[in-house]
Amino acid sequence: MVDFKHFDTVDFNKDEDALRIIDQTKLPNKLEMLELDDEESIWDAIHYLKVRGAPAIGVAAAIGIAVLSKKIKEDDLIKFKEEFNRIKKYLESSRPTAVNLFWALDRMGRITENFEGQKDDLIKLLVDEAIKIREEDIEVCRKIGEYGLKLLKENYGVLTHCNAGSLATVKYGTATAPMYLAKEKGMDIRVYADETRPLLQGARLTAYELNAAGIDTTLICDNMSQTVMRNGWVDIVFVGCDRVALNGDACNKIGTSMVALAAKRNKIPFYVCAPTSTIDFSIESGDDIVIEKRKDEEITDMWYKEKMAPEGIKVYNPAFDLTDADLITGIITEYGIIYPPYKEALMKIKEEHNL
Ligand code: MRU
C-alpha cells in the first residue's frame, strides 16, 4: 500500500508535456499512473473520475490546458487565443458541479486573455500558473488541516463521507487533512469512512489512503452512519465539498446531507472543509448549483458480477446533494473556520483576501 501523503495525486510529468495522474478508477487494487497529453484523454480522465475530487479536478484542468496549449500550432496570437478558448470550453464540459474546474480554467483563461507578446512566452506563463495552482493546493489543504486539528481531541471518533482525501487534492486532502496532521502529532483518532454508494469513493479511496497512513479506520455502509453516531462513537464529522453558495449551502457527494441530518439529531458538530477555490461567490444559494446526473449502470450493474436490479427499472442517480447551511456547524477554509451567518463571513474573506 502506498502512503498518499508522500505521493502527489496530480502533477506535470517530468518534461512538463503531459498531465500525470493516479488512475483512481483502478484503486484500491492497482496503483497505475497515467500520462495524458491529448484533449480527449484529459476530458475523459475528469469525466470518468480517473481524477476526481473538486481540488484535484481543478489542478488537473489547469495542468491539462497548459499541456494542451503547448500543442497549439497557431503562431498568430489571436488564433492561438481562439484555440485556447475552444479547449477551455471543452474541458469545462467534462463535469458540471465542482466549481474548482471553472475556477482553475478561468485563472488560466485570464492569463491568456491579458497577454500581449510572443506565443512561447504565453505558454511559459500558463505552465507557471498551473504550477502555482498546484502548489497553492498543497498549502491550502495543509492550512485547512491546521484549523481542523484544533477541533480534534485525543481518541476522538471522526466520520467522513466520500473521499475528500489526498486523492481528491494534490496532497493532504481537505476533510482528511486534520486527520493526517493529528497522525503527525501522534494523536490517536478513530475514523469512520462511509463507503459512499454508488461509486464507493469511501471504500476504495478514503479507507485505502487512511489505512495506508496508519490511521485507525473503520469502513461502514452509508446507511450505518446514524447507527455509529447513536452508538456514541462519533465526536465530529468532517466532509469536503464541490461548491459552496454565499448562504453557506454546501454541495457534496450524494449522501452528505443525510450525514448532516443524522449529526444534527445526535448533536454532533458537522464541519465542511472548503478551500476558497470551492466557494462560488456568484451564487446566493445551493439551489443555483447544477447537480451532475450519472449513468443508471453505476447503481444497477457496476461492482457486481451480475446485474443487481430488474432489467429496465427506472433509476435516479444524482452524483451530489445539497446540505442546507443550517445543518452546518462551521466551514473550514484556508483562512480559518467560519460560522453563521455565512454570507457575512464569506464576504469578509473575499474582501480581506482579494478573491
Ligand atoms: O464525484 P467525486 O468523486 O468527484 O466527488 C467528490 C466529492 O464529493 C468530494 O467530497 C469533494 O469533491 C471534495 S474533495 C476535497
Side-chain angles (χ1 to χ4, degrees):
M1 276 200 283
V2 180
D3 186 344
F4 290 107
K5 199 156 47 50
H6 307 297
F7 212 91
D8 288 2
T9 306
V10 196
D11 205 348
F12 279 99
N13 69 343
K14 194 165 48 58
D15 298 328
E16 291 182 345
D17 57 8
L19 163 68
R20 187 171 186 272
I21 56 167
I22 297 173
D23 182 350
Q24 299 191 36
T25 60
K26 301 274 164 59
L27 289 170
N29 298 315
K30 207 164 159 202
L31 180 73
E32 198 174 301
M33 304 303 300
L34 297 177
E35 292 202 359
L36 312 171
D37 63 0
D38 65 90
E39 59 185 64
E40 287 78 18
S41 60
I42 293 172
W43 187 94
D44 257 44
I46 298 173
H47 184 74
Y48 293 108
L49 277 59
K50 292 175 186 169
V51 58
R52 32 81 35 218
I57 292 172
V59 176
I63 294 177
I65 201 159
V67 162
L68 296 172
S69 294
K70 287 189 167 185
K71 299 189 154 216
I72 299 178
K73 295 217 165 53
E74 310 288 353
D75 285 323
D76 175 73
L77 199 59
I78 295 176
K79 291 206 173 113
F80 180 95
K81 287 184 182 187
E82 277 169 13
E83 180 61 358
F84 176 93
N85 286 332
R86 185 196 61 75
I87 298 168
K88 176 172 177 281
K89 230 183 175 135
Y90 175 63
L91 293 181
E92 280 170 350
S93 71
S94 56
R95 288 192 84 186
T97 305
V99 74
N100 306 60
L101 174 67
F102 307 91
W103 170 87
L105 287 170
D106 283 348
R107 257 178 83 162
M108 300 297 280
R110 279 195 294 279
I111 299 280
T112 304
E113 206 177 293
N114 299 329
F115 182 82
E116 293 300 333
Q118 295 299 313
K119 170 184 154 178
D120 287 348
D121 295 333
L122 173 54
I123 290 172
K124 187 168 174 346
L125 287 179
L126 288 169
V127 171
D128 289 349
E129 185 70 1
I131 293 173
K132 207 164 146 208
I133 290 173
R134 202 190 93 86
E135 299 301 316
E136 278 173 19
D137 184 71
I138 300 174
E139 187 58 29
V140 159
C141 287
R142 175 117 198 149
K143 282 263 171 258
I144 288 174
E146 283 164 11
Y147 288 114
L149 182 62
K150 294 192 178 131
L151 301 168
L152 293 179
K153 293 194 181 122
E154 188 69 22
N155 289 321
Y156 252 28
V158 187
L159 187 135
T160 192
H161 189 75
C162 192
N163 173 265
S166 278
L167 286 160
T169 62
V170 180
K171 229 184 192 90
Y172 298 115
T174 58
T176 57
M179 307 173 197
Y180 285 123
L181 265 56
K183 177 77 190 168
E184 266 179 35
K185 293 221 156 9
M187 187 190 272
D188 283 327
I189 53 162
R190 296 165 287 109
V191 178
Y192 295 91
D194 282 354
E195 72 172 348
T196 317
R197 286 276 295 157
L199 292 182
L200 307 182
Q201 290 93 333
R204 294 188 301 106
L205 309 174
T206 304
Y208 182 69
E209 65 166 80
L210 293 180
N211 200 39
I215 295 172
D216 177 346
T217 307
T218 305
L219 177 63
I220 58 171
C221 298
D222 299 337
N223 49 9
M224 295 167 192
S225 52
Q226 155 64 12
T227 296
V228 297
M229 288 188 202
R230 199 168 188 279
N231 288 352
W233 298 345
V234 179
D235 298 288
I236 195 165
V237 177
F238 287 141
V239 295
C241 60
D242 284 76
R243 202 183 281 239
V244 179
L246 267 185
N247 69 347
D249 288 351
C251 182
N252 191 46
K253 180 53 56 193
I254 190 76
T256 304
S257 61
M258 289 171 60
V259 176
L261 285 163
K264 181 102 175 172
R265 171 75 186 185
N266 291 281
K267 299 189 173 51
I268 294 166
F270 179 96
Y271 284 89
V272 170
C273 302
T276 51
S277 55
T278 307
I279 296 163
D280 188 343
F281 294 98
S282 74
I283 55 168
E284 283 294 326
S285 89
D287 294 331
D288 297 326
I289 299 173
V290 177
I291 306 268
E292 178 181 15
K293 305 281 184 318
R294 296 188 64 91
K295 285 194 305 211
D296 299 0
E297 291 75 29
E298 289 181 354
I299 295 180
T300 54
D301 296 62
M302 218 165 157
W303 320 114
Y304 300 124
K305 272 204 182 115
E306 304 171 74
K307 210 172 176 57
M308 276 297 146
E311 194 64 54
I313 191 74
K314 276 198 286 181
V315 169
Y316 175 53
N317 184 18
F320 300 96
D321 67 16
L322 277 180
T323 300
D324 297 322
D326 65 322
L327 296 175
I328 300 170
T329 310
I331 300 176
I332 310 177
T333 76
E334 69 270 33
Y335 299 118
I337 306 177
I338 59 167
Y339 294 95
Y342 289 117
K343 187 167 177 179
E344 266 172 55
L346 287 171
M347 288 314 285
K348 191 160 175 268
I349 285 189
K350 183 171 162 44
E351 274 152 36
E352 280 176 6
H353 301 282
N354 211 8
L355 301 173

